[in-house]
Amino acid sequence: MHEYFAFGLCIESDIKLSKLLPNTYTQNIDLKIRKDITATYGIDKPNEEREFIKISNSELWLSIQGVGYFLVRNGTEILYYPDSESNVDNLKIFLLGSCIGAALYQRRQFIIHGNAIEVDGKAVIFAGQSGIGKSTLAAIYHQNGFKVLTDDLALIRSDLHVIPSYPNIKLWEDSATNLSYDTSGLSRVRDNVNKYECPISNNFRSSPAELKAIFILGSHNEMNIISSPLSGIEKFIPLKNNTYRKNYLKAMNLNQHHMNMCTAIASNVPIIALTRPKAGFKLKELFEFSLNEIRQL
């Protein structure tokens, strides 16, 4: 068994999860990951049921063709059973993505689909639709000496602190090349996908940080970068739209808890729409512009 620390949890796993920090924080095991045939059974009386997923208040079951079966229970265990065609790397994608996200929701946590970096001791989240450049922007912050807290899953605690996840950023090949990463030495996120795991352990913040702001990334046909602070009800829409795995919430009866967290965040944290030109991803300019915006808040 291996012990790791992520999202404020001590995680015990029978699979080696090399991109996680080793546990040096606590002797209490919060979440166990292990191979078990029980993962193939499904769950009884789900609140939501589709062909490949079943969800109840305290359980979530996934069946991924060519990968395996997964059962997440009570926020304390993730059981898996591999498909005969599967490999360990493909299992890890779902264990550290959809499954750990479900476990965090079962623990009544709030998760934004975004990246978080540290600026002047505070956390800043970049959220937005897939492919808009969240990880690429976080990576250039990292290359300029800023610490990263999380990639893809940004957990915001009830005291409005962001909790670190894994010292790793996932980048598409073109982004990795533009940032001068040598992809020949990097692991692919998944077989036959040109997206790579880029380690950032040399500049990773492993302790929680108070949330300073959330930037919602977008693009337009103009040639300039625009920053637009949101107010009132405008702040709720991007929080809802960028919630990680929104379909989990209703099936787990977490809608009210989620709304309470949205209200707390919208009432206390600036949320800014940051829109860049579609034509040409001017990464350096976006980095400098966003950093200036952050420091003016």
Side-chain angles (χ1 to χ4, degrees), residues 131-138 140 171 174-175 178-179 217-219 225 276-287:
I132 198 63
K134 302 182 293 294
S135 295
T136 307
L137 185 54
I140 194 172
L171 294 174
D174 56 347
S175 294
N178 289 337
L179 289 164
L217 302 183
S219 62
I225 301 171
R276 63 169 176 83
K278 284 183 180 179
F281 191 167
K282 298 179 180 179
L283 184 56
K284 182 180 178 182
E285 289 86 343
L286 185 61
F287 161 68

Side-chain angles (χ1 to χ4, degrees), residues 242-257:
N242 292 284
T243 296
Y244 184 77
R245 297 288 191 270
K246 295 190 293 289
N247 61 305
Y248 288 3
L249 297 173
K250 183 178 179 180
M252 292 182 177
N253 283 324
L254 290 175
N255 278 343
Q256 186 58 56
H257 175 262

